[in-house]
Amino acid sequence: MARNVGRIFSGFRCSGSLPFGKTQLKTRCPRLLLRTTPERTVVQALSSIFSHKSRDFSLPNSSWGEEMMRLYNHYSSQSGEAAEGQEDQGEQWTRLPSYNRSLKYATGGVYLSKIIQSKARLFTRNIRDTGAAFEYVLFFRRDKQRCVCIFQAGHLLEGPPGHVHGGAIATMIDTVTGTHASLLSAPVMTANLNINYRSPIPLGSTVLVESTMDKEEGKKTFLSCRVTSTDGSKLHTEAAALFVSINVSHLLRG
């Protein structure tokens, strides 16, 4: 088995497909023969680890519950892509992709340092186990006046027994309103977030986090946000948010 794994790694070293910084190894090697299922399994796993393609966390996974999937399909069916070539019969929504690294996907490919580049992770996407914490997907209207998030709260977000921590709720409100404000006048930073908690959210449940643009005044964007049950019958949390447009170079200078 050790010899087999050695051959597998040897094949990887010679494949010329692994990135090392900004360069790649380009060498010719003998053909790698994978005769057994375990060998193929290891290769597939390693290929996944070293893949250039990053995971989009806004796509469904096995942890999503029935209500999460129902709402995802509902908004997807009303997406601009689904309605392309057809006359707009009402609200059209666009799904926003979500990755676990902000720096890599920043406009212009901004990097701060190799250490930060390799270790930095978006706060809401830094837990590997699917379904354990923040499971969510955002859609925004084509006119950008509204943004809606389908949020499923995992077991690691507990605050009061059996219910979601208030800080986790605030995180999702900031994430949704901040994303919405960025669509209106990117880049932005949170200047003020005023939250009123109305009723607790049970762990494992799915809720809607809806952001609405109230007004814009120069560099300031004002939004309101509501966290409700998926049928809208219960108000869990409401908030008012203020975001201010910034020059991203200020952040890079520290």
Side-chain angles (χ1 to χ4, degrees), residues 55-89:
R55 175 187 167 193
D56 182 351
F57 285 80
S58 69
L59 296 174
N61 64 62
S62 59
S63 75
W64 285 20
E66 182 178 341
E67 186 67 356
M68 183 88 170
M69 282 302 309
R70 183 187 71 81
L71 289 167
Y72 176 85
N73 291 330
H74 169 74
Y75 284 101
S76 294
S77 69
Q78 300 182 51
S79 70
E81 293 85 351
E84 187 176 359
Q86 302 177 9
E87 184 178 350
D88 185 359
Q89 299 298 321

Side-chain angles (χ1 to χ4, degrees), residues 122-235:
L122 189 66
F123 179 57
T124 55
R125 299 299 194 190
N126 68 354
I127 296 176
R128 291 178 179 273
D129 297 338
T130 56
F134 299 93
E135 290 290 342
Y136 64 95
V137 54
L138 279 77
F139 292 84
F140 76 94
R141 269 185 53 135
R142 182 166 291 182
D143 60 15
K144 297 185 180 179
Q145 299 302 302
R146 290 178 58 201
C147 188
V148 62
C149 170
I150 310 165
F151 169 44
Q152 179 181 288
H155 60 275
L156 295 183
L157 302 184
E158 186 176 40
H163 292 83
V164 181
H165 194 287
I169 299 170
T171 294
M172 284 309 305
I173 291 173
D174 189 44
T175 296
V176 176
T177 55
T179 300
H180 190 184
S182 296
L183 292 169
L184 298 169
S185 53
V188 298
M189 289 193 72
T190 311
N192 183 269
L193 189 59
N194 190 350
I195 300 176
N196 293 306
Y197 297 96
R198 301 302 186 188
S199 61
I201 300 173
L203 284 175
S205 63
T206 300
V207 296
L208 290 177
V209 186
E210 299 182 82
S211 172
T212 303
M213 198 273 283
D214 293 332
K215 62 180 179 179
E216 292 180 291
E217 294 180 353
K219 293 185 176 182
K220 298 179 179 180
T221 302
F222 297 84
L223 303 105
S224 55
C225 185
R226 287 167 53 90
V227 183
T228 67
S229 57
T230 56
D231 62 3
S233 64
K234 178 174 288 188
L235 174 64

